[in-house]
Amino acid sequence: MTENPHQTTLDTALTESGLEAVNWTFPDADTQYLTHGLHNYPARMVPQIPDRLLSYYLDEGVLEEGDVVYDPFSGSGTTAVEARRHDLNAEANDINPLAVLLTRAKSIPLDPEEVEAAQTTLLDGLKSRLADVESQYEAGEPIDVEEPAVRDGWFPEPQLTQLAVIRDRIDDLEREYDQALARFFRVALSHTTRKVSYQRNGEYKRYRLSEEDREDHDPDVYPIFEQKVRENVSMMKDYSRETSRDQQTQVHYADSREAADVEDDSVDIVITSPPYGDHGTTVAYGQFSQDPAIVSWGREYDEMREVDKTGLGGSNRVLEPLEEIEEWSEALSATLETLREKDGRSDDAMEFFRDYYAVMEQVKRVLKPGQPVAWVVANRTMSRVNIPTHLITQQLCEHLGFELTHMLPREIPNKTLPWENAPENQPGVKGDLMANENIVVMTAPEE
DNA sequence: GGGACGCAATTGACGATGAT
DNA sequence: ATCATCGTCAATTGCGTCCC
């Protein structure tokens, strides 16, 4: 295994005192090392969590080189990257096309010299080409580029056309090199797309700048793109040098409630951070990913809209209701009872946990008997009621025969977040926000 | 010209609600 | 049903200006 320069806890502490000895908050830890910093993504799990868990289970002999790590909620691919760093194979699922592509881009190492050469090809003459687009636009001349199918009013011109020019260049690059290399550069374009759009910073739901701010928003496409390309190339070269080519990363554009591509008893460990709530009221992954996916990855608007509807607790009901889960978790039934008393959103909570339970069933199916699963969860609120997701996770898994081995508390990584919000949008009417998480570590039932 | 400093911008796992 | 909007907040980073 390669040396990890990012450790904040000594390995000796790990092996002598076990998982309880680790400070899982990882205050001040660098969360952007290697390819983790390739692209932002909402609600990323800090890489130190899978890093430390994998180190521990490798030291304990629960895992060995070449074993398989599975993440049913891959997101931007944190688990897959850490799996590779530890000489392990990875399987990953996500229903968000952008997540699938980011996971592949971040976890599959590329040849450093080839990346360098492709960067030169890509940037060569790009600056003047974009300048030409601008002058053509200003002169009112037609520009022969296919406009991305984004919604009206979300991008300045000619910047949107310039993004399309870069998109086409990367398509050319794909023909000259290969898909993996093109994918890697599309990540930088995706980043640029977000910066160029009228999307307001600090929002992962679609929220445009005010009309006034939109008039002032005149970003310079080339320097944003070039800088991100250079940063990413540098990160990929480091990642590539530090990781093995012997392992595989299988990323499935699939629903973890079915996990159809992952075989029974094929996985040695599961490390995942599921969504904490439905994609409508908590993190709207689909909304976040919409424009980047349409502009840089050629995805359809309708396909991207489906993401939030298909997420756990979303309006696309793919499973039959399962009332019994309320009996299987005391914490869940107490929560639903409180929500009913408050005349709150008990049905929404029920649908979310019904979907979540289906993923637990699949984790049981694919995980080898006796092997560990780590769920990283925090407790959101609904109708101002705190939802004890960590206890519900534990109890529903116990119903499936899993055994709890560790309940590891941690503070939410960046307390740059507000402690309070005002969801009713009434000045002075505030509510608490989530401040800590738990890592719920369990082992799969023995045969 | 470069370092110190102050202010602005950015960066974050919300969730109810009013308008379509 | 869906979607954009909004009130909430602090640590950190970025940027411009001033002073030496």
Side-chain angles (χ1 to χ4, degrees):
Chain A
M1 207 199 79
T2 45
E3 192 71 17
N4 176 9
H6 313 286
Q7 284 178 339
T8 52
T9 309
L10 294 174
D11 275 341
T12 50
L14 258 177
T15 48
E16 284 167 17
S17 314
L19 296 177
E20 316 284 351
V22 176
N23 174 7
W24 293 94
T25 297
F26 302 109
D28 313 320
D30 174 14
T31 60
Q32 309 282 335
Y33 62 86
L34 299 179
T35 52
H36 291 300
L38 231 52
H39 194 282
N40 62 348
Y41 197 76
R44 289 191 310 150
M45 170 168 59
V46 297
Q48 283 78 11
I49 293 175
D51 173 41
R52 217 46 53 85
L53 287 167
L54 292 174
S55 291
Y56 173 75
Y57 285 114
L58 284 162
D59 286 349
E60 292 288 300
V62 173
L63 295 177
E64 54 187 53
E65 190 178 322
D67 277 356
V68 178
V69 186
Y70 174 51
D71 186 348
F73 301 103
S74 184
S76 66
T78 301
T79 302
V81 168
E82 288 302 316
R84 182 80 70 142
R85 281 193 56 241
H86 290 267
D87 284 335
L88 298 160
N89 294 293
E91 295 255 351
N93 259 20
D94 211 290
I95 54 163
N96 181 358
L98 186 72
V100 170
L101 297 158
L102 290 180
T103 299
R104 289 186 179 137
K106 287 167 71 170
S107 64
I108 300 170
L110 301 173
D111 179 70
E113 285 173 21
E114 207 174 28
V115 172
E116 187 90 27
Q119 174 190 295
T120 306
T121 308
L122 177 60
L123 295 180
D124 182 41
L126 180 60
K127 189 175 183 179
S128 60
R129 174 80 178 94
L130 296 185
D132 289 347
V133 168
E134 189 171 351
S135 38
Q136 280 176 277
Y137 176 81
E138 280 166 5
E141 294 167 18
I143 304 164
D144 187 24
V145 177
E146 193 194 328
E147 287 284 298
V150 292
R151 288 150 67 188
D152 288 342
W154 282 84
F155 284 85
E157 283 286 9
Q159 283 92 335
L160 181 60
T161 307
Q162 293 175 320
L163 293 172
V165 167
I166 301 176
R167 174 202 62 198
D168 293 348
R169 278 224 170 193
I170 299 175
D171 288 348
D172 293 343
L173 206 67
E174 177 161 357
R175 284 183 280 275
E176 191 175 336
Y177 293 85
D178 61 20
Q179 192 189 24
L181 213 61
R183 178 194 294 135
F184 169 76
F185 288 105
R186 286 186 185 115
V187 171
L189 177 57
S190 173
H191 166 92
T192 310
T193 298
R194 171 117 184 148
K195 292 283 181 197
V196 165
S197 86
Y198 291 135
Q199 174 67 35
R200 206 174 83 162
N201 279 323
E203 291 278 346
Y204 36 77
K205 291 186 176 68
R206 296 184 69 98
Y207 186 2
R208 271 186 304 180
L209 299 169
S210 68
E211 227 167 297
E212 195 188 342
D213 288 346
R214 265 177 263 165
E215 281 169 28
D216 298 337
H217 185 66
D218 186 25
D220 215 344
V221 173
Y222 183 77
I224 299 171
F225 180 68
E226 188 201 354
Q227 190 190 343
K228 190 61 181 164
V229 164
R230 294 194 187 282
E231 281 172 16
N232 284 6
V233 164
S234 161
M235 285 187 269
M236 175 53 79
K237 282 156 85 177
D238 290 343
Y239 176 70
S240 195
R241 274 192 285 266
E242 289 190 29
T243 52
S244 155
R245 308 296 168 91
D246 302 333
Q247 312 303 338
Q248 297 296 314
T249 304
Q250 296 291 335
V251 190
H252 311 291
Y253 178 27
D255 190 327
S256 297
R257 286 167 290 195
E258 289 158 8
D261 302 317
V262 188
E263 290 182 18
D264 295 4
D265 295 328
S266 64
V267 165
D268 300 283
I269 187 169
V270 173
I271 301 176
T272 193
S273 180
Y276 297 171
D278 64 88
H279 296 13
T281 48
T282 57
V283 179
Y285 294 90
Q287 287 190 35
F288 171 88
S289 307
Q290 212 172 77
D291 288 332
I294 291 170
V295 173
S296 57
W297 308 87
R299 291 288 168 171
E300 300 283 332
Y301 172 62
D302 285 344
E303 181 185 14
M304 295 310 297
R305 264 178 25 130
E306 285 299 302
V307 173
D308 291 334
K309 297 189 205 173
T310 309
L312 303 190
S315 58
N316 290 351
R317 307 305 307 154
V318 301
L319 300 168
E320 293 300 313
L322 187 64
E323 311 290 340
E324 292 91 324
I325 63 168
E326 193 173 344
E327 296 160 28
W328 300 334
S329 165
E330 272 181 41
L332 178 58
S333 63
T335 301
L336 293 172
E337 197 49 45
T338 309
L339 284 173
R340 287 185 192 112
E341 281 167 17
K342 285 202 87 168
D343 203 18
R345 304 196 297 136
S346 59
D347 289 349
D348 290 348
M350 187 65 182
E351 285 172 7
F352 173 81
F353 283 107
R354 194 269 170 274
D355 285 347
Y356 185 18
Y357 181 74
V359 178
M360 295 175 189
E361 289 181 308
Q362 292 305 315
V363 165
K364 177 181 175 179
R365 178 181 66 78
V366 303
L367 198 52
K368 294 175 185 170
Q371 291 300 109
V373 49
W375 307 91
V376 182
V377 296
N379 302 334
R380 67 169 299 203
T381 59
M382 295 175 84
S383 303
R384 286 282 164 74
V385 176
N386 185 274
I387 315 291
T389 311
H390 64 305
L391 294 178
I392 298 171
T393 301
Q394 176 191 339
Q395 290 166 1
L396 290 179
C397 280
E398 281 171 349
H399 176 76
L400 287 169
F402 287 81
E403 275 182 39
L404 183 76
T405 59
H406 306 272
M407 181 67 81
L408 306 165
R410 65 184 301 270
E411 286 166 35
I412 287 270
N414 289 299
K415 246 1 256 188
T416 54
L417 291 166
W419 294 95
E420 298 177 306
N421 70 351
E424 293 90 350
N425 292 327
Q426 292 168 26
V429 181
K430 302 175 191 178
D432 293 338
L433 295 179
M434 48 181 116
N436 42 58
E437 296 178 324
N438 282 279
I439 308 171
V440 186
V441 187
M442 309 191 76
T443 49
E446 299 288 349
E447 210 46 49

